[in-house]
Amino acid sequence: MSESHPPLPWDTTQAADAYRDRDMRLARELIFPAVLRRLGPAEGTAQVVLDVGCGTGALAVHLAEARGCTVHGLDPSSAMLDIARADRPHPRVDYRLFDGRSLHWIADDDVDAVVCCLVYCTDPDDRRLADLTREIHRVLRPGAPYVLADLNPQAIGEAFSTLRYGDPGTVYTEGDTVPTTLRRLSGTTVTTACHYRSLPRYEALLTQAGFASPDLDLPLAPQHHDSSTPEPAETRVAPYMVLTTRAGKGPGR
């Protein structure tokens, strides 16, 4: 995957237009099943799930259809939400613009589950993420799951079938901007700006907000065992990580 332009910030119309045409094969194969599994048994239309940073709505609609639940898709990009509403309307999904930090319109302990997919890696502001994580903890009912899926910080520079997170041979430290190349359905690529955080940093954001230490999944693609072609990188290195934790229980949470 080649890079010919400076990385696009995620909060631009250009990034939203490029993301609309992204190749989602690996995300659908690796992230979506892991998220569904970690959410636990489906509870039907009475269950309310937040998809924080829903982007163009792919996961939100998948959750609504697979689990029969009500999904509130939230995103700080109006351009992403315009695409979600146009491309992925669904009777059990609504989309709402928010500031990436506050869920002030949602009452305490009012949500049955929260998912957040490929969001933390796009935000350069640790303080905003800390605020958001505390808000997610506040709105979840005690014991409810929070499933956070993101780019795997140990997969820097790997050329996966649909993306590359960072330049090969480059060492990134906390907060560094990481050029991330996404393959589009047209066969072209677009380079966006992500931000490096180590696994301990993710864990700290969660535990400091009141969550339990998360479980870690590193989903791999199955090998094809075809000796005539090399196995893709995603069969040996996980492109994504999935962290699962739960809201604290008891008084003073």
Side-chain angles (χ1 to χ4, degrees), residues 206-253:
L206 291 169
T207 57
Q208 288 169 9
F211 286 103
S213 295
D215 294 324
L216 171 65
D217 290 317
L218 295 171
L220 293 172
Q223 294 186 351
H224 300 127
H225 303 292
D226 180 359
S227 59
S228 64
T229 57
E231 294 283 1
E234 56 267 20
T235 63
R236 56 180 175 80
V237 179
Y240 309 108
M241 64 176 182
V242 180
L243 300 172
T244 307
T245 183
R246 292 184 179 274
K249 300 180 181 180
R253 81 180 198 93

Side-chain angles (χ1 to χ4, degrees), residues 83-147:
I83 293 171
R85 293 183 181 111
D87 291 0
R88 295 185 176 93
H90 192 280
R92 289 193 303 277
V93 179
D94 66 87
Y95 299 106
R96 176 173 179 145
L97 186 70
F98 86 127
D99 64 2
R101 169 175 264 141
S102 172
L103 306 174
H104 61 86
W105 68 95
I106 303 175
D108 295 359
D109 308 341
D110 201 39
V111 174
D112 298 304
V114 176
V115 301
C116 188
C117 181
L118 301 173
V119 171
Y120 284 52
C121 63
T122 67
D123 196 327
D125 189 340
D126 268 16
R127 288 179 296 181
R128 180 164 53 214
L129 285 176
D131 289 346
L132 174 62
T133 310
R134 284 192 295 269
E135 279 284 85
I136 290 170
H137 186 269
R138 178 184 65 79
V139 302
L140 274 170
R141 59 177 174 78
Y146 177 32
V147 185

Side-chain angles (χ1 to χ4, degrees), residues 6 9 33 61 63 67 82 87 95 113-114 124-125 151 163-164 181 194-195 205 227 233 236 241:
V61 169
L63 290 170
R67 297 179 62 82
D82 286 345
D87 291 0
Y95 299 106
V114 176
D125 189 340
L151 294 170
L163 68 116
R164 190 183 74 206
T181 304
C194 287
H195 306 277
L205 283 166
S227 59
R236 56 180 175 80
M241 64 176 182

